[in-house]
Amino acid sequence: MELKADNGEGIDSWKEVTLIYSAALRQIETKMEILNDEFQHVHQYNPIEHIKARIKTPESIVKKLKRNGYESTIDNMVKYINDIAGIRIICSFTSDIYRIADMISEQRDIKVIAVKDYITFPKASGYKSYHMIVTVPVYLSDRTVDTKVEIQIRTVAMDFWASLEHKIHYKFEGDAPEHIKSELVECAKMVSDLDARMLSLNEEILAISREREKDEDM
């Protein structure tokens, strides 16, 4: 595995890549924690269950560059790989997904450059998640680097399914037996049904709580 540095300006070493993308992840994480705390303060409710963050390994980056026909250079990595820095936001209900996406979009120093809504339009495998590619400014001593971060937003149930699907994909190197693929699709439908029922149940609980509050105020 080798990532060669080009002679252009900008990021020129894997060490600097790690520094900059780690800083971008910390910024996004901090913003999400603040928004979650604010939401609790205003609405007495936390839309975010937990957050996972990771930097893609050099081996994975090189493999992805080669798969897409690019030479393994730092410049190509920064230019063509959108998920070097990845953050996954796990929430309780499907309604939270779009609420969180809106909160991210409204941040002044975050620029949304691409969105893939696999909630409304799931993959054929059954995969559901809401993906955003954003840039966030990382302020260094001599310059500002607008750094790409991939944000995935999904429910706990979707994350459980995706984790299993990911393990199966690598276990069979992307060529799982058809009956396993079919079973995964069926499980994805069950996950969607569970999410819908849990959301409906939560809305009913909230409605009952509001009615009780009204009665107490009278």
Side-chain angles (χ1 to χ4, degrees), residues 98-163:
Y98 295 101
R99 184 178 289 122
I100 292 165
D102 287 341
M103 290 193 298
I104 293 170
S105 300
E106 289 167 6
Q107 294 289 297
R108 290 186 179 180
D109 57 349
I110 293 180
K111 181 181 179 183
V112 179
I113 58 177
V115 168
K116 289 185 178 179
D117 185 354
Y118 295 118
I119 308 295
T120 305
F121 305 102
K123 291 185 178 181
S125 64
Y127 176 85
K128 280 190 169 187
S129 187
Y130 191 91
H131 292 196
M132 306 172 77
I133 304 296
V134 306
T135 61
V136 61
V138 174
Y139 299 99
L140 303 177
S141 60
D142 58 345
R143 69 193 191 280
T144 300
V145 182
D146 289 325
T147 308
K148 287 183 287 188
V149 177
E150 183 190 57
I151 302 173
Q152 298 178 354
I153 314 170
R154 59 179 68 151
T155 65
V156 175
M158 290 174 194
D159 191 53
F160 173 68
W161 183 93
S163 177

Side-chain angles (χ1 to χ4, degrees), residues 4-178:
K4 297 180 287 185
D6 286 352
N7 294 321
E9 295 179 356
I11 304 170
D12 60 5
S13 71
W14 176 248
K15 189 174 181 180
E16 192 172 8
V17 165
T18 304
L19 168 71
I20 291 171
Y21 282 91
S22 294
L25 280 181
R26 286 200 299 273
Q27 286 196 65
I28 299 288
E29 280 188 278
T30 300
K31 285 177 180 294
M32 293 301 99
E33 288 166 0
I34 292 170
L35 288 170
N36 206 33
D37 289 345
E38 182 203 14
F39 212 87
Q40 173 65 43
H41 174 70
V42 175
H43 303 285
Q44 291 75 54
Y45 169 65
N46 292 116
I48 298 173
E49 290 285 338
H50 58 272
I51 299 171
K52 303 175 184 177
R54 66 101 183 97
I55 299 291
K56 208 173 187 68
T57 64
E59 290 78 13
S60 294
I61 292 169
V62 168
K63 192 178 293 184
K64 193 166 186 177
L65 284 171
K66 288 181 177 178
R67 190 164 63 242
N68 292 313
Y70 297 114
E71 187 182 2
S72 300
T73 67
I74 297 291
D75 280 2
N76 282 345
M77 178 185 73
V78 172
K79 185 175 180 180
Y80 297 114
I81 306 299
N82 292 328
D83 61 344
I84 295 171
I87 191 161
R88 188 172 299 149
I89 300 170
I90 311 301
C91 51
S92 298
F93 307 106
T94 49
S95 58
D96 293 330
I97 293 171
Y98 295 101
R99 184 178 289 122
I100 292 165
D102 287 341
M103 290 193 298
I104 293 170
S105 300
E106 289 167 6
Q107 294 289 297
R108 290 186 179 180
D109 57 349
I110 293 180
K111 181 181 179 183
V112 179
I113 58 177
V115 168
K116 289 185 178 179
D117 185 354
Y118 295 118
I119 308 295
T120 305
F121 305 102
K123 291 185 178 181
S125 64
Y127 176 85
K128 280 190 169 187
S129 187
Y130 191 91
H131 292 196
M132 306 172 77
I133 304 296
V134 306
T135 61
V136 61
V138 174
Y139 299 99
L140 303 177
S141 60
D142 58 345
R143 69 193 191 280
T144 300
V145 182
D146 289 325
T147 308
K148 287 183 287 188
V149 177
E150 183 190 57
I151 302 173
Q152 298 178 354
I153 314 170
R154 59 179 68 151
T155 65
V156 175
M158 290 174 194
D159 191 53
F160 173 68
W161 183 93
S163 177
L164 177 60
E165 193 267 348
H166 182 77
K167 289 174 184 175
I168 290 173
H169 178 82
Y170 278 92
K171 182 75 173 178
F172 292 99
E173 297 181 343
D175 190 26
E178 286 303 317

Side-chain angles (χ1 to χ4, degrees), residues 125-126 161 180-192:
S125 64
W161 183 93
I180 290 180
K181 292 180 183 178
S182 297
E183 189 68 20
L184 275 172
V185 171
E186 287 302 312
C187 287
K189 292 175 182 177
M190 294 169 65
V191 165
S192 294

